[in-house]
């Protein structure tokens, strides 16, 4: 009996489906031609099964090349798309990409920044270059490749500065650095051992002693550190002097730009390291010997070069660097600079 009921129920459901199909396929007002020639009505069933817990399949890309190419094809770099892409990456990978984005942005901005128009030469630089050229003999200019001009003047637009010029292949001078310095206090003072010593920086032309370059050094007379010391090749009364170019330390750094040393030429630690490095690595070579006064045992600071019997300069291994120290502050440049 139960089997008959199930069978009859299936028949009823089937009949209902056929009836619905018949109604859908029948046009409301069919004409004769449509009944005779028109295409049969079609039924399209669309099934939608909700899959809340199942991940959605990845949509396929358009068939313009392979799927891999479409996935990695670069977008056109319009500003709008670039901004949207950047915002997407920032929001999705903020912690991982923030530092990289910062570095990239700074690099791009530097590379794409327009070049600044060439500025006129500074009056002080032009004045130093002219003064340096006019003070050097042809031999001095030919035998050296790096020139350090130091003003030991207490005041003036050039005062307490070092100008570093490189001689180019065509003979022109190129300014590399312009640094504040401290030269000697220009007096007589008593050191810790009770000796009265001069604290003046000598003026004139000086070579550097290739055997007295020290990254770490201390003054024997004043018990003060002298990092990156480069001593003058200057003998006075038969004894090598303690005059050097070196780095300032501690409170000495704040005094740069004034007469504050015991006779040496002080630079900031960074500038002293830079000068020490470029001289040691780039300017080694044959240099002329300066004349010595055999009566006093003092090497000339007037730029007088020794010559052999044939009139040629006597050369020795050293650094092709000439230090020129003057007590000139450029007072006549004030009107031009200001």
């Amino acid at each position: 009996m139960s089997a008959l009921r199930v069978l009859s129920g299936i028949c009823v459901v089937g009949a209902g489906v056929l009836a619905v199909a018949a109604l859908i396929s029948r046009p409301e007002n069919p004409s004769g031609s449509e009944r005779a020639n028109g295409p049969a009505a079609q039924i399209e069933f669309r099934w939608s099964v909700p899959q809340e817990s199942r991940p959605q399949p990845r949509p396929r890309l358009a068939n313009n090349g392979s799927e891999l190419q479409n996935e990695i094809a670069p977008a056109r770099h319009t500003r709008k798309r670039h901004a949207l892409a950047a915002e997407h990456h920032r929001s999705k990978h903020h912690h991982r990409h923030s530092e990289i984005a910062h570095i990239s942005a700074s690099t791009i901005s530097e590379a794409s920044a327009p070049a600044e128009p060439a500025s006129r030469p500074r009056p002080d630089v032009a004045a130093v270059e002219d003064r340096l050229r006019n003070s050097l003999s042809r031999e001095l200019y030919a035998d050296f490749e790096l020139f350090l001009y130091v003003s030991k003047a207490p005041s003036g637009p050039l005062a307490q500065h070092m100008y570093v010029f490189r001689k180019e292949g065509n003979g022109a001078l190129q300014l590399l650095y312009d640094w504040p310095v401290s030269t000697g206090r220009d007096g007589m003072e008593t050191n810790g051992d009770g000796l009265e010593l001069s604290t003046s920086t000598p003026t004139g032309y000086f070579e550097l002693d290739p055997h007295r370059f020290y990254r770490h050094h201390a003054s024997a007379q004043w018990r003060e550190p002298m990092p990156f010391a480069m001593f003058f090749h200057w003998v006075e009364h038969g004894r090598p002097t303690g005059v050097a170019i070196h780095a300032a330390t501690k409170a000495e750094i704040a005094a740069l730009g004034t007469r504050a040393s015991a006779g040496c030429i002080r630079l900031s630690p960074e500038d002293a390291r830079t000068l020490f490095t470029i001289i040691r690595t780039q300017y080694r070579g044959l240099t002329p010997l300066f004349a010595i006064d055999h009566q006093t045992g003092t090497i000339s600071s007037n730029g007088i070069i020794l010559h052999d019997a044939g009139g040629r300069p006597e050369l020795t291994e050293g650094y092709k660097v000439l230090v020129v120290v003057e007590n000139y502050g450029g007072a006549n440049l004030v009107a031009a600079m200001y």
Side-chain angles (χ1 to χ4, degrees), residues 63-123:
N63 293 325
N64 295 329
S66 67
E67 185 176 17
L68 179 60
Q69 289 174 338
N70 283 317
E71 288 178 358
I72 64 174
R76 292 182 180 178
H77 292 163
T78 61
R79 291 189 176 183
K80 185 174 181 181
R81 291 188 179 183
H82 182 74
L84 290 173
E87 182 62 28
H88 171 72
H89 285 288
R90 281 197 297 270
S91 60
K92 189 174 182 180
H93 305 290
H94 174 71
H95 295 290
R96 187 166 65 91
H97 288 291
S98 59
E99 184 177 358
I100 298 174
H102 174 71
I103 296 172
S104 176
S106 64
T107 304
I108 292 172
S109 63
E110 287 183 18
S112 60
E116 295 184 3
S119 59
R120 293 181 179 179
R122 286 165 31 198

Side-chain angles (χ1 to χ4, degrees), residues 20-33:
V20 171
L23 290 173
I24 293 174
S25 62
R26 181 184 299 171
E28 294 181 1
N29 296 309
S31 62
S33 61

